[in-house]
Amino acid sequence: MDGTEAAQEPTTPPSLLLIGGRAGVGKTTVAWEVAAQLRAADISHAIIEGDFMGQIHPPPQHDPHLSAITERNLTAIWTNYAQLGCHRLIYTNTLSILPETAPTFHRALGPDVHITRVLLTATDTTTHQRLTARELGSELNKELQSSARKARLLEERSPSDTVRVRTDGRRVADIAHEVLTATGWAGPAHAGSGPSA
């Protein structure tokens, strides 16, 4: 360097928290509580609901499973957040923790992204109760069947480094604290009071 160029500060590699789990397990609720605990500690982060990245009907003919449009949308949103200096992302989606999703996140966030996978778990009884209370439209039976099928898939195929966190009968703040601890983003802190998941 000849002194005329400003020194480039090293960039922090992105860090990604993937929260997966069957429908009714509490992914969205827990993710937003993780975000609340990060805000309370004044730790920068962004949050994306993965289900919203491919909500278009009918699917494009060249992309029937919506994987390409999901990746394009994720890339665009993360680019905007990263330009603001953000390097931590919370991402929720049922199957996001499966190994075949990793290339998508490496392309969208960068090859040096550090990924923490968390699988939220709950019994059939618990998820049935939650889905029955949540799904007021015409797709309850479809959601129940899909939830049970994906629970089996996640148990069978989650990578060995996946952190499993039980949600049955626990306070949301405690669940989120356990999830946040897995990331290393914040030091140990007392999880505040709050309702059960």
Side-chain angles (χ1 to χ4, degrees), residues 2-197:
D2 60 7
T4 60
E5 299 177 8
Q8 293 286 331
E9 291 189 10
T11 57
T12 303
S15 186
L16 172 64
L17 167 59
L18 295 176
I19 300 179
R22 65 189 297 180
V25 80
K27 296 182 296 295
T28 297
T29 301
V30 170
W32 284 102
E33 176 60 25
V34 169
Q37 293 184 16
L38 288 170
R39 286 196 305 273
D42 197 24
I43 296 172
S44 65
H45 65 283
I47 183 169
I48 293 176
E49 295 269 3
D51 287 348
F52 297 154
M53 294 296 97
Q55 291 297 322
I56 183 171
H57 182 82
Q61 290 185 351
H62 66 281
D63 186 21
H65 301 294
L66 299 172
S67 55
I69 190 62
T70 293
E71 183 175 327
R72 285 177 58 191
N73 287 338
L74 174 59
T75 301
I77 293 173
W78 175 248
T79 297
N80 291 332
Y81 287 150
Q83 287 175 350
L84 296 173
C86 183
H87 64 272
R88 299 181 190 89
L89 176 63
I90 304 164
Y91 187 91
T92 67
N93 179 260
T94 299
L95 302 179
S96 62
I97 63 171
L98 294 182
E100 59 264 33
T101 69
T104 293
F105 294 113
H106 283 285
R107 289 190 296 266
L109 277 70
D112 57 347
V113 61
H114 176 268
I115 301 175
T116 301
R117 294 175 176 86
V118 172
L119 173 61
L120 300 184
T121 67
T123 64
D124 290 342
T125 300
T126 296
T127 53
H128 187 283
Q129 291 171 344
R130 292 174 181 168
L131 288 172
T132 300
R134 186 184 80 187
E135 296 294 336
L136 303 179
S138 61
E139 297 201 324
L140 174 60
N141 287 335
K142 177 182 174 182
E143 281 289 300
L144 290 170
Q145 293 170 8
S146 175
S147 178
R149 184 177 68 255
K150 289 178 179 176
R152 292 190 296 271
L153 176 65
L154 287 162
E155 277 301 322
E156 293 169 0
R157 301 195 47 231
S158 294
S160 59
D161 63 349
T162 301
V163 178
R164 286 169 166 78
V165 177
R166 181 181 57 83
T167 67
D168 301 88
R170 301 180 63 195
R171 295 184 311 136
V172 174
D174 293 336
I175 300 167
H177 179 68
E178 185 175 347
V179 171
L180 187 52
T181 299
T183 67
W185 291 354
H190 175 69
S193 61
S196 296

